[in-house]
Amino acid sequence: MKKIFLFLASILAISSAYAEKVELRTPNNSFIVDLDKGAEPKFVYFGPALKSQDIAELPRLGGGNGGRAELYPAYGATHTQSETCLAMRHADGNMSTQMLISDYKLQTIKDKAPNGADRTGELLTITLSDPIYPTTVHLYYQSYDDVDMIETWTDITNGEKKTVTLTQFYNPLLPVRRGDVWCTHFHGTWASEAQLTEEPLNNGTLVIKDKDGVRNAMVGRSEIMLSLDGKAQENYGAEIGAALLYSGNFRITVDTDDTDYHYYFSGINPDNSEYHLKKGETFTTPRTALTYSTTGTNGVSQAFHRWARRYQLRHGNQERMILLNSWEGVYLNVNQEGMDQMMHDIKSMGGELFVMDDGWFGDKYPRAVDNSSLGDWVVDTRKLPEGIPGLLRDAKKNGVKFGIWIEPEMANTVSELYEAHPDWIIKAPGREPVKGRGGTQVVLDMANPKVQDFVFGIVDNLLSNYPEIAYIKWDANAPVMNHGSQYLPMEDQSHLYIKYHEGLNSTLKRIREKYPDVIIQACASGGGRVTYGVLPYFDEFWVSDNTDALQRVRMQWGTSYFFPAIAQASHISAAPNHQTFRSIPLKFRIDVAMSGRLGMEIQPKNMTDEEKELCTKAIADYKKIRPIVQFGDIYRLLSPYSGHDLASTMFVSEDKKQAVFYWWKLETFKNQHLPRIKMAGLDPNKSYTIHELNRIDLRPLPCEGKSYSGAYLMNIGLEMPLSHTVEYNKQNDWSSRVLHLTEE
Ligand code: DGJ
């Protein structure tokens, strides 16, 4: 009988008060929960899509050490020894809460995704109530019809007569059966973001967190993978991918206690963030997105990338322009002729967009060095006498689109803004502000609606006055350095971190409602905003301020686990590199930059004609492979972390008719034995012709122009010579290859 109800519930997507096991299904995943009114909601299964006959046989968790099945343990009434999702103090001081099902429904939905795209799927809403307090929680699980992603989040409503205090507010947990489970996660710092860590899960708690307050992807990243049968493999094995979609302070924990399960928790970091929920108010948590792959980490990445391009990223289905950004070329020394020259140069190499970075603004306090002017978003007419109209005119003349840099959430204490509104900054009550970059940078209080209006106004002024502006680089270069909102009442100071990001998100939403078309890059001292928490409002992000190609191989590798190449701004910069001072040949720099959203970050007038020619050719070639890189499926092949002195990755178009293969040698010594790389993701029965891009060799590769079956390329692979055959005086120790594969 139950099987039938289950069947009806999942196929007809109707509400069913009687169904016990409820399934949420994506094309390849099933997520199954056990729901009984008056009991706690329980986890049953997350994995490959199941037949209804098998669903009926799935065992329940729970009892003894087998594992706890409760999806949303609340602290105090029955759950005290184990970790909990919700902890709160009721209005009367009672610290115990019990969350039991009062209702649930499964419905088909058709709505707008965060990036504005239409989506369809199912939504499971589970209503939980406390038997003795009128506090209610809704747990939500949402599936997509066309991508393997389940999103879960909650809202908590205070039905009590007075304010309650939330001290912990995670999303529903995910139990993962013990075995040989490994966790892949990412950590970094400025100029070294997204470094990969892989470790087995053991007893105890693995905590991944970021408490920057503003740039919450700089040190810790809120995306993890769990490989269920040993260390992660790129192309095979059971793998869960989980991402918290939140731009603020977060905490991810994987807790392993005395049961047969690990428990994954994700949510807003509760540290110094207890939340006072007034009578009748609702607190909504940011979503967690989950996918299950049977094809290793690449399966997880492909699912996240597809979901991101369709539903998370702005304009995820539109090719990105190839751009020159002025930062490493001129730093703050922008001026009219200099911008004109850079526009001309990028156009002459085939580029499509020029972005003027920091340094263009400030009237009373011109932005000569980085210790003033943030907040004063007026053109410095000493540098740019003809203002933005002059720049737009030059862009038109040169045949490129124009973009501009802003850092709207920040001020310098040396600025007209700060003089007028010292109360708009974040600062501990009664204390002097702590200042960041340049000794004067402070963070504006995004919790304050006046600040939100001001930030909206910066973009609104630019875009309403100059609708030709095609691109904005939105930077943020400081953390919360001391705790305090001058806007929030003293009793709600602990809301600062949460309210900052609420304010940021609502402002971004407002901007997007008015300006849906402009391209916006998320930058925060480099990769500090590589998070799906804000990406629905952005088209792309700056991976890192470090543009050294060798380090980029690692950073872009780590970033690719969850974020698609279309969003990874990846620029060719100068040698020696401005961050590592390493000199890497242009060929290698190009070959790395071409694996993301290609751009340049260099002063073209310092380039030789030969270098410009190589870039011109690369840009022309990139235009051919752009749809494959930006919309194709990623197959990471050999990790730069593997110790093989080599890294290799590829992108395959959805129809498998084309692919791009990248091969980067990371180290050189004599008698070096590099592995031959087997490709992946191709159609074994198709025949592919090989063409090398960015070739500098005097002789073509032996495989040039030849055709191979997908099976050959995936089972055997192509031999790559260890070095380039170039004239004697041009030889160096670097070697890299980009191959374009096209179906014959
Ligand atoms: C930090 C960014 O990451 C850089 O790319 C550049 O825009 C600077 N800020 C400008 O101040």
Side-chain angles (χ1 to χ4, degrees):
M1 205 45 193
K2 274 175 195 155
K3 282 183 212 168
I4 296 167
F5 276 118
L6 170 73
F7 190 71
L8 284 174
S10 57
I11 301 300
L12 296 181
I14 55 167
S15 135
S16 169
Y18 308 102
E20 286 193 318
K21 286 182 190 159
V22 178
E23 183 197 22
L24 216 62
R25 192 183 272 255
T26 68
N28 299 294
N29 290 174
S30 287
F31 189 91
I32 300 170
V33 293
D34 181 356
L35 303 177
D36 269 330
K37 282 194 180 177
E40 289 188 65
K42 297 200 176 68
F43 172 81
V44 177
Y45 173 85
F46 181 40
L50 291 181
K51 293 200 165 64
S52 46
Q53 150 200 2
D54 294 332
I55 295 175
E57 298 309 324
L58 280 171
R60 291 196 163 84
L61 274 68
N65 277 356
R68 291 182 303 276
E70 291 82 10
L71 280 166
Y72 195 71
Y75 179 77
T78 52
H79 302 284
T80 48
Q81 293 148 289
S82 53
E83 296 300 321
T84 51
C85 293
L86 174 70
M88 63 186 288
R89 256 195 323 275
H90 295 276
D92 61 4
N94 189 339
M95 286 178 66
S96 73
T97 302
Q98 193 175 24
M99 281 293 143
L100 307 176
I101 301 173
S102 52
D103 199 5
Y104 61 88
K105 65 171 185 233
L106 182 68
Q107 55 193 148
T108 52
I109 49 158
K110 209 172 177 192
D111 66 357
K112 293 273 177 215
N115 69 352
D118 292 321
R119 67 175 165 193
T120 57
E122 287 181 321
L123 176 68
L124 171 64
T125 307
I126 307 168
T127 306
L128 306 175
S129 318
D130 189 301
I132 62 167
Y133 285 98
T135 307
T136 50
V137 174
H138 291 113
L139 309 186
Y140 298 99
Y141 288 93
Q142 185 184 308
S143 64
Y144 290 78
D145 286 341
D146 61 342
V147 289
D148 287 312
M149 202 60 70
I150 306 267
E151 294 170 11
T152 180
W153 71 102
T154 73
D155 62 40
I156 305 160
T157 301
N158 177 12
E160 300 182 26
K161 291 205 171 73
K162 289 193 181 143
T163 300
V164 300
T165 301
L166 308 178
T167 53
Q168 196 153 293
F169 21 77
Y170 288 121
N171 283 333
L173 59 75
L174 179 72
V176 176
R177 184 69 168 83
R178 280 204 204 203
D180 187 11
V181 181
W182 284 58
C183 181
T184 302
H185 55 101
F186 306 90
H187 275 74
T189 186
W190 177 78
S192 185
E193 292 89 338
Q195 303 294 314
L196 174 119
T197 303
E198 292 174 297
E199 56 184 306
L201 288 178
N202 279 312
N203 292 322
T205 305
L206 172 65
V207 179
I208 298 157
K209 61 174 171 56
D210 193 291
K211 302 208 287 186
D212 187 274
V214 177
R215 310 159 305 171
N216 286 91
M218 182 58 84
V219 175
R221 290 272 163 102
S222 61
E223 304 83 27
I224 68 165
M225 290 196 197
L226 296 171
S227 11
L228 307 188
D229 304 308
K231 195 173 173 196
Q233 303 295 327
E234 301 291 9
N235 285 312
Y236 61 88
E239 189 85 29
I240 291 172
L244 177 71
L245 320 182
Y246 187 54
S247 56
N249 286 359
F250 69 83
R251 191 194 284 168
I252 309 294
T253 63
V254 188
D255 191 58
T256 310
D257 51 25
D258 56 344
T259 74
D260 286 341
Y261 283 75
H262 308 284
Y263 301 91
Y264 162 81
F265 293 83
S266 55
I268 296 175
N269 197 321
D271 280 4
N272 301 305
S273 289
E274 67 173 28
Y275 199 88
H276 309 124
L277 196 62
K278 295 203 179 71
K279 178 180 174 218
E281 277 183 354
T282 297
F283 180 85
T284 305
T285 61
R287 296 179 183 216
T288 297
L290 300 164
T291 194
Y292 189 103
S293 147
T294 52
T295 52
T297 65
N298 280 328
V300 170
S301 301
Q302 289 156 12
F304 264 93
H305 295 183
R306 216 165 284 141
W307 164 83
R309 285 190 301 259
R310 286 187 198 167
Y311 302 115
Q312 292 293 309
L313 271 184
R314 278 285 145 171
H315 314 119
N317 55 1
Q318 282 172 31
E319 285 186 15
R320 302 298 194 250
M321 288 183 273
I322 298 161
L323 63 85
L324 170 66
N325 179 292
S326 66
W327 180 240
E328 287 195 20
V330 298
Y331 291 101
L332 296 166
N333 303 319
V334 301
N335 61 50
Q336 188 87 40
E337 295 99 77
M339 300 298 97
D340 187 21
Q341 163 250 314
M342 289 182 116
M343 292 180 201
H344 171 268
D345 287 342
I346 186 61
K347 177 65 183 178
S348 71
M349 288 186 274
E352 298 151 331
L353 167 70
F354 171 72
V355 181
M356 177 176 67
D357 209 284
D358 196 351
W360 59 269
F361 52 94
D363 180 21
K364 179 173 170 193
Y365 302 105
R367 179 87 163 164
V369 277
D370 64 359
N371 63 4
S372 73
S373 327
L374 293 175
D376 300 349
W377 300 105
V378 288
V379 170
D380 177 358
T381 46
R382 284 145 289 208
K383 288 179 176 173
L384 298 162
E386 296 176 83
I388 294 177
L391 294 161
L392 289 169
R393 181 206 55 223
D394 288 348
K396 197 165 177 196
K397 175 187 79 186
N398 287 302
V400 287
K401 299 268 185 212
F402 178 76
I404 195 164
W405 177 96
I406 50 174
E407 194 178 354
E409 300 153 72
M410 302 288 158
N412 290 109
T413 49
V414 182
S415 69
E416 293 186 67
L417 177 77
Y418 183 71
E419 285 171 352
H421 302 288
D423 54 324
W424 280 10
I425 67 160
I426 286 179
K427 157 183 123 56
R431 299 180 194 278
E432 284 303 304
V434 174
K435 298 171 217 165
R437 187 182 184 191
T440 58
Q441 183 157 339
V442 285
V443 182
L444 293 177
D445 184 359
M446 290 300 293
N448 184 339
K450 287 196 178 132
V451 173
Q452 294 164 19
D453 286 347
F454 169 75
V455 169
F456 173 79
I458 298 167
V459 177
D460 194 31
N461 283 339
L462 282 171
L463 295 182
S464 59
N465 288 324
Y466 309 110
E468 301 92 328
I469 293 178
Y471 179 107
I472 286 176
K473 174 172 173 179
W474 178 304
D475 207 344
N477 290 304
V480 169
M481 293 167 283
N482 54 358
H483 186 123
S485 165
Q486 301 185 74
Y487 167 75
L488 293 170
M490 285 309 274
E491 65 273 20
D492 287 339
Q493 288 290 304
S494 60
H495 295 190
L496 170 66
Y497 292 115
I498 293 170
K499 288 291 177 195
Y500 183 98
H501 286 273
E502 248 178 57
L504 173 66
N505 274 258
S506 61
T507 308
L508 288 165
K509 192 159 180 262
R510 203 170 146 197
I511 290 171
R512 274 310 185 186
E513 274 159 13
K514 187 153 180 198
Y515 301 103
D517 297 333
V518 66
I519 300 160
I520 315 184
Q521 180 188 81
C523 173
S525 311
R529 286 253 166 95
V530 181
T531 158
Y532 283 114
V534 285
L535 277 183
Y537 310 112
F538 293 93
D539 298 71
E540 60 174 34
F541 49 78
W542 187 219
V543 175
S544 173
D545 271 355
N546 187 343
T547 55
D548 174 280
L550 196 58
Q551 246 191 297
R552 276 283 177 142
V553 169
R554 283 175 172 253
M555 291 187 286
Q556 293 179 189
W557 187 271
T559 307
S560 80
Y561 274 64
F562 283 88
F563 300 94
I566 191 171
Q568 294 203 36
S570 174
H571 296 179
I572 302 165
S573 64
N577 179 267
H578 293 190
Q579 292 78 37
T580 61
F581 307 102
R582 183 172 16 225
S583 285
I584 299 181
L586 183 58
K587 155 78 176 154
F588 194 93
R589 283 179 271 146
I590 291 175
D591 284 359
V592 172
M594 270 175 89
S595 63
R597 193 281 282 134
L598 177 66
M600 299 186 80
E601 184 99 8
I602 197 166
Q603 172 52 279
K605 77 174 179 199
N606 297 339
M607 294 166 73
T608 64
D609 287 346
E610 198 182 339
E611 286 173 331
K612 280 189 182 156
E613 205 182 307
L614 202 57
C615 287
T616 306
K617 205 169 158 306
I619 288 174
D621 280 345
Y622 184 77
K623 286 178 183 166
K624 290 185 204 138
I625 59 167
R626 176 158 50 184
I628 314 168
V629 178
Q630 298 190 356
F631 307 127
D633 284 326
I634 193 168
Y635 289 87
R636 286 178 303 271
L637 301 171
L638 184 68
S639 168
Y641 292 85
S642 67
H644 284 292
D645 302 329
L646 188 66
S648 180
T649 196
M650 66 190 290
F651 297 97
V652 181
S653 66
E654 218 176 328
D655 60 10
K656 300 202 182 281
K657 289 185 172 172
Q658 294 198 64
V660 195
F661 170 83
Y662 298 84
W663 184 97
W664 303 292
K665 186 154 71 85
L666 308 176
E667 180 60 279
T668 294
F669 52 87
K670 285 291 176 198
N671 201 20
Q672 184 174 21
H673 304 288
L674 299 182
R676 183 172 58 215
I677 304 294
K678 291 175 183 158
M679 297 191 187
L682 301 170
D683 180 339
N685 301 315
K686 283 194 194 321
S687 174
Y688 297 92
T689 307
I690 311 292
H691 173 55
E692 185 184 6
L693 305 181
N694 306 335
R695 185 180 130 198
I696 55 164
D697 297 59
L698 297 170
R699 287 189 299 281
L701 287 173
C703 58
E704 176 68 34
K706 295 203 180 132
S707 300
Y708 301 82
S709 70
Y712 181 100
L713 295 167
M714 292 193 291
N715 294 327
I716 300 168
L718 299 173
E719 292 289 359
M720 292 294 125
L722 296 196
S723 53
H724 293 285
T725 54
V726 291
E727 287 158 24
Y728 187 78
N729 64 352
K730 288 193 177 154
Q731 285 183 329
N732 59 53
D733 53 340
W734 295 85
S735 181
S736 56
R737 305 281 169 179
V738 182
L739 306 182
H740 185 190
L741 285 67
T742 38
E743 191 191 7
E744 252 190 340

